[in-house]
Amino acid sequence: MGRFGAELIPLEVVERVEIIRGPATLLYGANAFLGVVNVITRSGAPLDGIRLIGRGALVRDHLGGGGGVVMGGSEGRIDALFG
């Protein structure tokens, strides 16, 4: 099982986040004994193109920022979203 950091899932592709507290082994397997955080991503059909994202910040006189690209589309039964 791999480990994922928050930086690997751009917020632009997240539709909602579900949190299940307590044991959830019946639904999610033996390792879900404390709870589950389920990240639901968007469909690619509504985007249907490319979106460029940029961010900037100033914290205590230190500049910061970042950016990214989100691409999505749908053709027939195929639906794709890349971030």
Side-chain angles (χ1 to χ4, degrees):
M1 174 184 284
R3 295 181 184 215
F4 295 101
E7 69 277 0
L8 296 180
I9 303 174
L11 289 178
E12 291 78 16
V13 302
V14 174
E15 181 175 322
R16 68 180 183 274
V17 177
E18 299 173 344
I19 299 173
I20 300 174
R21 296 179 184 180
T25 56
L26 184 63
L27 295 174
Y28 293 98
N31 291 330
F33 53 88
L34 293 177
V36 175
V37 176
N38 191 15
V39 178
I40 309 295
T41 58
R42 299 176 193 259
S43 170
L47 181 59
D48 198 26
I50 297 175
R51 182 180 301 165
L52 301 174
I53 299 104
R55 294 183 191 89
L58 179 63
V59 178
R60 296 185 184 162
D61 297 330
H62 296 285
L63 290 173
V69 176
V70 178
M71 299 177 287
S74 178
E75 183 67 40
R77 297 178 63 191
I78 299 174
D79 185 42
L81 181 66
F82 301 97

